[in-house]
Amino acid sequence: MSVGRHPATRFRRTKRLDGMRRLVAETQLSKDDLIWPMFVREGNNDETQVPSMPGVSRLTIDRIVAQAERAANLGIPAVCLFPYTETELKTEACEEAWSPDNLSNRATRAIKEAVPEMVVMTDVALDPYNINGHDGIVRDGIILNDESVEALVKMALAQADAGADILGPSDMMDGRIGAMRNALESAGHTDTAILSYAAKYASAFYGPFRDAVGATGLLVGDKKTYQMNPANSDEALRLVERDLAEGADMVMVKPGMPYLDICRRVKDAFGAPTFAYQVSGEFAMIKAAAQNGWLDGDKTMIESLLAFKRAGCDGVLTYFAPDVAEALNSA
Ligand code: PBG
């Protein structure tokens, strides 16, 4: 790349007019890039605000369906479901995770019936069903890998049976993608996609999410024995390579904004469909600053999402999805 000297080159020439700036823009943010994460709870025609996520509520299934219809009308291609499981259903063995009639599976069926074109993504991890808040089965303080994978496979099959289009294993156990892929093929679910949370870091940015799914008081210890060390980057590439080889169709980096370097490396190395999760803490930071009048919330939202596209992501899971779609539709 060679850059001419001043005044032959004046970068301000292509910045003078809005139309000129649009012509030379290298990346675009589109509503086609959005996956909208939603929280499901029991009950009818009701919702509960999540205090640490202003504007986000846990919704009963009928309201989830209404929001899925809204998403379709806004042009959002996909929603992602996370259940708020009642404490009495949480156990050490996590059986509720693969119940065909658990909250997540009922919500999936309801959305696919009402809005068949909506892509429904589900979460494969045990934490919403686990009495100790971990993503895997815990025995004597150890998170057991292979036993967890067996449970996760049962969970994945139940979600595929319910009609989930994309399974999102967010658990970070070793070997789960291959095990799920084999089980899906054997069960005839040959078209169920897997979006692997491949490079998922042990992050403090998940705090508000754990409030939203009711895991906050329960988690014993931390998730550092299975989620990634924020210090690592090469390991992310090895994890992505492994998950793609085991049968993931798409991969994710999570959290998002503090890990844009990882997004870029993953996209450049593999060229696979690459997603980032703009997690609850990232959302909460922008919302809190905007509520205080310290940031322009709408502008920060759009800029934060455009940054993911610039870093090479094909799409983003974001709690801002409906707001972004509305902003883009009215632009
Ligand atoms: C756990 C899971 C987490 C999130 C999605 N799935 C939290 C965790 O790993 O503790 C976080 C999402 C967010 O913060 O928005 N399976």
Side-chain angles (χ1 to χ4, degrees), residues 60-83:
T60 55
I61 290 178
D62 49 344
R63 293 211 180 174
I64 283 274
V65 169
Q67 290 303 312
E69 279 161 357
R70 176 175 165 227
N73 291 332
L74 285 168
I76 296 171
V79 297
C80 180
L81 302 177
F82 293 99

PDB file of all heavy atoms in Angstrom, residues 60-83:
ATOM      1  N   THR A  60     -42.861 -13.968  29.044  1.00  0.00           N
ATOM      2  CA  THR A  60     -43.592 -15.229  28.958  1.00  0.00           C
ATOM      3  C   THR A  60     -43.687 -15.632  27.484  1.00  0.00           C
ATOM      4  O   THR A  60     -43.485 -14.798  26.588  1.00  0.00           O
ATOM      5  CB  THR A  60     -44.990 -15.088  29.580  1.00  0.00           C
ATOM      6  OG1 THR A  60     -45.660 -13.985  28.948  1.00  0.00           O
ATOM      7  CG2 THR A  60     -44.878 -14.828  31.081  1.00  0.00           C
ATOM      8  N   ILE A  61     -43.971 -16.923  27.245  1.00  0.00           N
ATOM      9  CA  ILE A  61     -43.861 -17.445  25.881  1.00  0.00           C
ATOM     10  C   ILE A  61     -44.753 -16.673  24.897  1.00  0.00           C
ATOM     11  O   ILE A  61     -44.338 -16.363  23.780  1.00  0.00           O
ATOM     12  CB  ILE A  61     -44.176 -18.956  25.863  1.00  0.00           C
ATOM     13  CG1 ILE A  61     -43.039 -19.705  26.571  1.00  0.00           C
ATOM     14  CG2 ILE A  61     -44.338 -19.476  24.429  1.00  0.00           C
ATOM     15  CD1 ILE A  61     -43.221 -21.208  26.674  1.00  0.00           C
ATOM     16  N   ASP A  62     -45.981 -16.329  25.334  1.00  0.00           N
ATOM     17  CA  ASP A  62     -46.855 -15.579  24.407  1.00  0.00           C
ATOM     18  C   ASP A  62     -46.214 -14.239  24.020  1.00  0.00           C
ATOM     19  O   ASP A  62     -46.299 -13.803  22.867  1.00  0.00           O
ATOM     20  CB  ASP A  62     -48.255 -15.384  25.015  1.00  0.00           C
ATOM     21  CG  ASP A  62     -48.194 -14.854  26.452  1.00  0.00           C
ATOM     22  OD1 ASP A  62     -47.114 -14.913  27.093  1.00  0.00           O
ATOM     23  OD2 ASP A  62     -49.226 -14.369  26.943  1.00  0.00           O
ATOM     24  N   ARG A  63     -45.549 -13.606  24.977  1.00  0.00           N
ATOM     25  CA  ARG A  63     -44.893 -12.321  24.656  1.00  0.00           C
ATOM     26  C   ARG A  63     -43.630 -12.517  23.826  1.00  0.00           C
ATOM     27  O   ARG A  63     -43.263 -11.658  23.025  1.00  0.00           O
ATOM     28  CB  ARG A  63     -44.574 -11.547  25.932  1.00  0.00           C
ATOM     29  CG  ARG A  63     -45.833 -11.086  26.628  1.00  0.00           C
ATOM     30  CD  ARG A  63     -45.619  -9.798  27.374  1.00  0.00           C
ATOM     31  NE  ARG A  63     -46.867  -9.409  28.008  1.00  0.00           N
ATOM     32  CZ  ARG A  63     -47.000  -8.386  28.837  1.00  0.00           C
ATOM     33  NH1 ARG A  63     -45.947  -7.655  29.129  1.00  0.00           N
ATOM     34  NH2 ARG A  63     -48.159  -8.091  29.356  1.00  0.00           N
ATOM     35  N   ILE A  64     -42.948 -13.653  24.027  1.00  0.00           N
ATOM     36  CA  ILE A  64     -41.788 -13.977  23.186  1.00  0.00           C
ATOM     37  C   ILE A  64     -42.249 -14.112  21.740  1.00  0.00           C
ATOM     38  O   ILE A  64     -41.600 -13.607  20.810  1.00  0.00           O
ATOM     39  CB  ILE A  64     -41.126 -15.303  23.664  1.00  0.00           C
ATOM     40  CG1 ILE A  64     -40.304 -15.065  24.918  1.00  0.00           C
ATOM     41  CG2 ILE A  64     -40.298 -15.937  22.565  1.00  0.00           C
ATOM     42  CD1 ILE A  64     -38.881 -14.599  24.695  1.00  0.00           C
ATOM     43  N   VAL A  65     -43.378 -14.793  21.551  1.00  0.00           N
ATOM     44  CA  VAL A  65     -43.901 -14.978  20.188  1.00  0.00           C
ATOM     45  C   VAL A  65     -44.223 -13.615  19.573  1.00  0.00           C
ATOM     46  O   VAL A  65     -43.899 -13.348  18.411  1.00  0.00           O
ATOM     47  CB  VAL A  65     -45.144 -15.902  20.198  1.00  0.00           C
ATOM     48  CG1 VAL A  65     -45.843 -15.889  18.850  1.00  0.00           C
ATOM     49  CG2 VAL A  65     -44.731 -17.322  20.580  1.00  0.00           C
ATOM     50  N   ALA A  66     -44.832 -12.745  20.371  1.00  0.00           N
ATOM     51  CA  ALA A  66     -45.158 -11.406  19.847  1.00  0.00           C
ATOM     52  C   ALA A  66     -43.879 -10.658  19.458  1.00  0.00           C
ATOM     53  O   ALA A  66     -43.833  -9.966  18.428  1.00  0.00           O
ATOM     54  CB  ALA A  66     -45.943 -10.610  20.899  1.00  0.00           C
ATOM     55  N   GLN A  67     -42.823 -10.813  20.262  1.00  0.00           N
ATOM     56  CA  GLN A  67     -41.557 -10.134  19.931  1.00  0.00           C
ATOM     57  C   GLN A  67     -40.885 -10.777  18.715  1.00  0.00           C
ATOM     58  O   GLN A  67     -40.218 -10.092  17.941  1.00  0.00           O
ATOM     59  CB  GLN A  67     -40.610 -10.155  21.130  1.00  0.00           C
ATOM     60  CG  GLN A  67     -41.059  -9.272  22.287  1.00  0.00           C
ATOM     61  CD  GLN A  67     -41.254  -7.813  21.882  1.00  0.00           C
ATOM     62  OE1 GLN A  67     -40.417  -7.208  21.230  1.00  0.00           O
ATOM     63  NE2 GLN A  67     -42.404  -7.248  22.243  1.00  0.00           N
ATOM     64  N   ALA A  68     -41.070 -12.084  18.554  1.00  0.00           N
ATOM     65  CA  ALA A  68     -40.528 -12.741  17.354  1.00  0.00           C
ATOM     66  C   ALA A  68     -41.244 -12.225  16.109  1.00  0.00           C
ATOM     67  O   ALA A  68     -40.625 -12.031  15.054  1.00  0.00           O
ATOM     68  CB  ALA A  68     -40.656 -14.255  17.476  1.00  0.00           C
ATOM     69  N   GLU A  69     -42.549 -11.986  16.241  1.00  0.00           N
ATOM     70  CA  GLU A  69     -43.298 -11.390  15.120  1.00  0.00           C
ATOM     71  C   GLU A  69     -42.777  -9.982  14.836  1.00  0.00           C
ATOM     72  O   GLU A  69     -42.589  -9.593  13.683  1.00  0.00           O
ATOM     73  CB  GLU A  69     -44.802 -11.359  15.440  1.00  0.00           C
ATOM     74  CG  GLU A  69     -45.449 -12.701  15.170  1.00  0.00           C
ATOM     75  CD  GLU A  69     -46.797 -12.903  15.863  1.00  0.00           C
ATOM     76  OE1 GLU A  69     -47.251 -12.011  16.624  1.00  0.00           O
ATOM     77  OE2 GLU A  69     -47.371 -13.999  15.656  1.00  0.00           O
ATOM     78  N   ARG A  70     -42.540  -9.241  15.909  1.00  0.00           N
ATOM     79  CA  ARG A  70     -41.981  -7.892  15.744  1.00  0.00           C
ATOM     80  C   ARG A  70     -40.624  -7.966  15.052  1.00  0.00           C
ATOM     81  O   ARG A  70     -40.325  -7.182  14.139  1.00  0.00           O
ATOM     82  CB  ARG A  70     -41.855  -7.233  17.123  1.00  0.00           C
ATOM     83  CG  ARG A  70     -41.210  -5.879  17.097  1.00  0.00           C
ATOM     84  CD  ARG A  70     -41.242  -5.229  18.485  1.00  0.00           C
ATOM     85  NE  ARG A  70     -40.331  -4.102  18.534  1.00  0.00           N
ATOM     86  CZ  ARG A  70     -39.454  -3.881  19.518  1.00  0.00           C
ATOM     87  NH1 ARG A  70     -39.381  -4.710  20.554  1.00  0.00           N
ATOM     88  NH2 ARG A  70     -38.668  -2.829  19.474  1.00  0.00           N
ATOM     89  N   ALA A  71     -39.795  -8.917  15.478  1.00  0.00           N
ATOM     90  CA  ALA A  71     -38.469  -9.076  14.868  1.00  0.00           C
ATOM     91  C   ALA A  71     -38.601  -9.344  13.373  1.00  0.00           C
ATOM     92  O   ALA A  71     -37.882  -8.746  12.555  1.00  0.00           O
ATOM     93  CB  ALA A  71     -37.708 -10.214  15.556  1.00  0.00           C
ATOM     94  N   ALA A  72     -39.531 -10.221  13.020  1.00  0.00           N
ATOM     95  CA  ALA A  72     -39.728 -10.535  11.595  1.00  0.00           C
ATOM     96  C   ALA A  72     -40.147  -9.277  10.837  1.00  0.00           C
ATOM     97  O   ALA A  72     -39.635  -8.996   9.743  1.00  0.00           O
ATOM     98  CB  ALA A  72     -40.771 -11.643  11.442  1.00  0.00           C
ATOM     99  N   ASN A  73     -41.051  -8.507  11.418  1.00  0.00           N
ATOM    100  CA  ASN A  73     -41.501  -7.278  10.751  1.00  0.00           C
ATOM    101  C   ASN A  73     -40.374  -6.263  10.609  1.00  0.00           C
ATOM    102  O   ASN A  73     -40.346  -5.487   9.654  1.00  0.00           O
ATOM    103  CB  ASN A  73     -42.675  -6.648  11.514  1.00  0.00           C
ATOM    104  CG  ASN A  73     -43.927  -7.495  11.402  1.00  0.00           C
ATOM    105  OD1 ASN A  73     -44.109  -8.214  10.403  1.00  0.00           O
ATOM    106  ND2 ASN A  73     -44.776  -7.444  12.410  1.00  0.00           N
ATOM    107  N   LEU A  74     -39.454  -6.268  11.565  1.00  0.00           N
ATOM    108  CA  LEU A  74     -38.318  -5.342  11.502  1.00  0.00           C
ATOM    109  C   LEU A  74     -37.240  -5.825  10.541  1.00  0.00           C
ATOM    110  O   LEU A  74     -36.304  -5.085  10.229  1.00  0.00           O
ATOM    111  CB  LEU A  74     -37.694  -5.182  12.899  1.00  0.00           C
ATOM    112  CG  LEU A  74     -38.455  -4.330  13.903  1.00  0.00           C
ATOM    113  CD1 LEU A  74     -37.868  -4.502  15.305  1.00  0.00           C
ATOM    114  CD2 LEU A  74     -38.423  -2.859  13.499  1.00  0.00           C
ATOM    115  N   GLY A  75     -37.341  -7.085  10.111  1.00  0.00           N
ATOM    116  CA  GLY A  75     -36.329  -7.631   9.203  1.00  0.00           C
ATOM    117  C   GLY A  75     -35.165  -8.305   9.903  1.00  0.00           C
ATOM    118  O   GLY A  75     -34.119  -8.551   9.291  1.00  0.00           O
ATOM    119  N   ILE A  76     -35.328  -8.612  11.190  1.00  0.00           N
ATOM    120  CA  ILE A  76     -34.277  -9.330  11.934  1.00  0.00           C
ATOM    121  C   ILE A  76     -34.391 -10.816  11.600  1.00  0.00           C
ATOM    122  O   ILE A  76     -35.463 -11.398  11.760  1.00  0.00           O
ATOM    123  CB  ILE A  76     -34.444  -9.101  13.456  1.00  0.00           C
ATOM    124  CG1 ILE A  76     -34.243  -7.615  13.789  1.00  0.00           C
ATOM    125  CG2 ILE A  76     -33.488  -9.977  14.253  1.00  0.00           C
ATOM    126  CD1 ILE A  76     -34.595  -7.244  15.217  1.00  0.00           C
ATOM    127  N   PRO A  77     -33.295 -11.445  11.142  1.00  0.00           N
ATOM    128  CA  PRO A  77     -33.423 -12.841  10.693  1.00  0.00           C
ATOM    129  C   PRO A  77     -33.514 -13.886  11.793  1.00  0.00           C
ATOM    130  O   PRO A  77     -34.062 -14.956  11.566  1.00  0.00           O
ATOM    131  CB  PRO A  77     -32.162 -13.081   9.854  1.00  0.00           C
ATOM    132  CG  PRO A  77     -31.234 -11.965  10.161  1.00  0.00           C
ATOM    133  CD  PRO A  77     -31.998 -10.851  10.806  1.00  0.00           C
ATOM    134  N   ALA A  78     -32.979 -13.589  12.993  1.00  0.00           N
ATOM    135  CA  ALA A  78     -32.874 -14.664  13.985  1.00  0.00           C
ATOM    136  C   ALA A  78     -33.052 -14.155  15.411  1.00  0.00           C
ATOM    137  O   ALA A  78     -32.673 -13.023  15.730  1.00  0.00           O
ATOM    138  CB  ALA A  78     -31.500 -15.342  13.871  1.00  0.00           C
ATOM    139  N   VAL A  79     -33.620 -15.020  16.245  1.00  0.00           N
ATOM    140  CA  VAL A  79     -33.673 -14.760  17.681  1.00  0.00           C
ATOM    141  C   VAL A  79     -32.970 -15.907  18.399  1.00  0.00           C
ATOM    142  O   VAL A  79     -32.835 -17.001  17.853  1.00  0.00           O
ATOM    143  CB  VAL A  79     -35.133 -14.640  18.206  1.00  0.00           C
ATOM    144  CG1 VAL A  79     -35.834 -13.457  17.568  1.00  0.00           C
ATOM    145  CG2 VAL A  79     -35.924 -15.923  17.980  1.00  0.00           C
ATOM    146  N   CYS A  80     -32.501 -15.636  19.604  1.00  0.00           N
ATOM    147  CA  CYS A  80     -31.788 -16.646  20.391  1.00  0.00           C
ATOM    148  C   CYS A  80     -32.423 -16.705  21.777  1.00  0.00           C
ATOM    149  O   CYS A  80     -32.587 -15.675  22.420  1.00  0.00           O
ATOM    150  CB  CYS A  80     -30.312 -16.258  20.483  1.00  0.00           C
ATOM    151  SG  CYS A  80     -29.335 -17.411  21.434  1.00  0.00           S
ATOM    152  N   LEU A  81     -32.789 -17.897  22.219  1.00  0.00           N
ATOM    153  CA  LEU A  81     -33.567 -18.038  23.452  1.00  0.00           C
ATOM    154  C   LEU A  81     -32.723 -18.480  24.642  1.00  0.00           C
ATOM    155  O   LEU A  81     -31.924 -19.411  24.542  1.00  0.00           O
ATOM    156  CB  LEU A  81     -34.676 -19.077  23.241  1.00  0.00           C
ATOM    157  CG  LEU A  81     -35.655 -18.790  22.103  1.00  0.00           C
ATOM    158  CD1 LEU A  81     -36.645 -19.949  21.973  1.00  0.00           C
ATOM    159  CD2 LEU A  81     -36.392 -17.467  22.340  1.00  0.00           C
ATOM    160  N   PHE A  82     -32.939 -17.796  25.775  1.00  0.00           N
ATOM    161  CA  PHE A  82     -32.323 -18.185  27.040  1.00  0.00           C
ATOM    162  C   PHE A  82     -33.425 -18.292  28.093  1.00  0.00           C
ATOM    163  O   PHE A  82     -34.170 -17.331  28.289  1.00  0.00           O
ATOM    164  CB  PHE A  82     -31.294 -17.143  27.489  1.00  0.00           C
ATOM    165  CG  PHE A  82     -30.088 -17.069  26.601  1.00  0.00           C
ATOM    166  CD1 PHE A  82     -29.991 -16.083  25.623  1.00  0.00           C
ATOM    167  CD2 PHE A  82     -29.050 -17.986  26.728  1.00  0.00           C
ATOM    168  CE1 PHE A  82     -28.883 -16.010  24.792  1.00  0.00           C
ATOM    169  CE2 PHE A  82     -27.937 -17.914  25.905  1.00  0.00           C
ATOM    170  CZ  PHE A  82     -27.853 -16.929  24.931  1.00  0.00           C
ATOM    171  N   PRO A  83     -33.532 -19.422  28.771  1.00  0.00           N
ATOM    172  CA  PRO A  83     -34.607 -19.601  29.744  1.00  0.00           C
ATOM    173  C   PRO A  83     -34.241 -19.125  31.143  1.00  0.00           C
ATOM    174  O   PRO A  83     -33.093 -19.278  31.580  1.00  0.00           O
ATOM    175  CB  PRO A  83     -34.804 -21.124  29.742  1.00  0.00           C
ATOM    176  CG  PRO A  83     -33.433 -21.662  29.465  1.00  0.00           C
ATOM    177  CD  PRO A  83     -32.736 -20.647  28.576  1.00  0.00           C
TER     178      PRO A  83
END
